[in-house]
Amino acid sequence: MTRGRTGAGRRPAGAVAALAVAVSALALLTGCSLRIEEASCGGGEYPVLAVNSSGSDCVPDGQEPADGWARYPEGKVPEKVGDKWDVYWSTRTLDENGDIVTLPEGQ
């Protein structure tokens, strides 16, 4: 007696198709990459930048920045690492008058 293949251990064609659809949907929803965005500051904090120097830090909500630090100008606050304003401020800072100035090269 000859035994034929019974399909034991094989996935039904419908399950394979459903998995393919789920993977495709995930790729479309994530822009074809699983990119994790890091927030500039944690919950309950806001970002500040060093005056006349490069650098940034986070300050607890309700507290003012320490001397030598300032709040970012309204509408120019970085929210995520690498976002538009994070990149912008990598080459600029505020001076002691609150004016935006370009950082010297190498800072």
Side-chain angles (χ1 to χ4, degrees):
M1 182 161 140
T2 307
R3 293 185 179 199
R5 295 185 81 175
T6 62
R10 295 177 56 193
R11 290 190 176 136
V16 173
L19 180 60
V21 169
V23 169
S24 298
L26 180 61
L28 287 173
L29 292 173
T30 61
C32 295
S33 70
L34 296 176
R35 198 173 67 145
I36 298 173
E37 293 183 332
E38 183 180 346
S40 296
C41 291
E45 298 178 316
Y46 67 93
V48 294
L49 75 157
V51 175
N52 284 320
S53 182
S54 63
S56 62
D57 201 1
C58 297
V59 174
D61 290 342
Q63 288 187 14
E64 288 301 314
D67 287 341
W69 296 86
R71 293 176 184 264
Y72 287 90
E74 190 173 334
K76 296 182 179 183
V77 181
E79 294 179 12
K80 306 277 184 197
V81 174
D83 73 9
K84 170 184 169 180
W85 294 115
D86 185 51
V87 172
Y88 176 86
W89 289 108
S90 68
T91 59
R92 297 167 184 84
T93 191
L94 296 176
D95 67 12
E96 61 280 350
N97 300 315
D99 294 324
I100 298 173
V101 294
T102 302
L103 285 167
E105 205 168 310
Q107 263 200 2

